[in-house]
Amino acid sequence: KTECEDLILQVMLKCFNHAETFVYRKGEVKFRTYFAQIVHSQAVDMIRKSAAQKNLHCELPDNLDPFNELFMEEWRKAVFEEAKTELRLRVDEKTFMAFELYGLQNRKVDTVADILEMTPNQIYVAKNRCLNILQKIIQRHNENDGELHLEI
């Protein structure tokens, strides 16, 4: 097992052990913050144990500042993927693929048109339609989570 696998296991165990007693209070604490604290504390514990086993002195900050930014980056990626999944459910598959290939992966419009058997104009229309819908989905996520600041 790798250290990452061990960390994932420890975080999962901690979450499962606290699942029965965890009470969500809207507006007080976000689940993301609660989860980040568990990940941080488990990572710090693992680092300290490893350093102690190797007789190394290890000072780790108690605050979450560097960790929080990394966590927020990953959280934004996860929310963006969730938003894309919602978009995919709201448009037909060809429209979504045109948006994914041309709008997000920046492939050439002629290449995408050939792959999807669409005209370049249809690709442009699909991209704009999906972009408008995705912006509304992301806006809703940002309104629900004032700290998210998710952008396309």
Side-chain angles (χ1 to χ4, degrees):
K1 274 198 266 187
T2 67
E3 288 179 343
C4 279
E5 289 171 333
D6 287 341
L7 177 60
I8 291 168
L9 180 62
Q10 291 304 315
V11 169
M12 288 175 60
L13 286 171
K14 191 74 141 190
C15 286
F16 291 138
N17 288 338
H18 287 106
E20 289 182 15
T21 59
F22 177 77
V23 177
Y24 176 71
R25 289 183 288 276
K26 189 172 181 163
E28 286 184 35
V29 176
K30 293 183 179 2
F31 177 79
R32 175 185 66 232
T33 304
Y34 168 77
F35 186 69
Q37 182 64 47
I38 290 174
V39 173
H40 179 263
S41 66
Q42 293 303 305
V44 167
D45 286 349
M46 284 183 66
I47 293 167
R48 285 186 178 139
K49 284 178 188 173
S50 178
Q53 288 172 349
K54 297 173 185 169
N55 291 324
L56 299 173
H57 176 67
C58 183
E59 268 192 53
L60 297 169
D62 288 331
N63 66 12
L64 295 174
D65 287 342
F67 179 78
N68 267 347
E69 195 50 45
L70 289 172
F71 191 86
M72 280 303 293
E73 279 180 43
E74 292 304 313
W75 189 260
R76 285 182 189 107
K77 287 178 191 174
V79 172
F80 184 73
E81 287 303 314
E82 184 179 316
K84 278 181 30 182
T85 299
E86 183 178 336
L87 170 65
R88 180 178 226 138
L89 295 172
R90 292 174 59 178
V91 298
D92 68 61
E93 190 62 28
K94 219 173 195 182
T95 299
F96 180 81
M97 288 306 300
F99 174 68
E100 176 77 27
L101 295 172
Y102 177 67
L104 297 178
Q105 295 181 11
N106 296 317
R107 295 191 185 190
K108 293 182 180 180
V109 70
D110 292 331
T111 304
V112 175
D114 288 343
I115 292 170
L116 298 176
E117 298 176 348
M118 297 171 74
T119 67
N121 192 49
Q122 289 173 313
I123 302 295
Y124 297 134
V125 169
K127 177 194 169 208
N128 288 330
R129 179 169 180 243
C130 288
L131 193 57
N132 287 333
I133 295 169
L134 188 59
Q135 285 173 333
K136 289 175 184 169
I137 294 168
I138 287 174
Q139 180 181 358
R140 188 184 73 234
H141 281 286
N142 283 332
E143 287 170 359
N144 290 337
D145 182 348
E147 298 171 7
L148 187 59
H149 307 296
L150 184 61
E151 297 176 6
I152 296 178

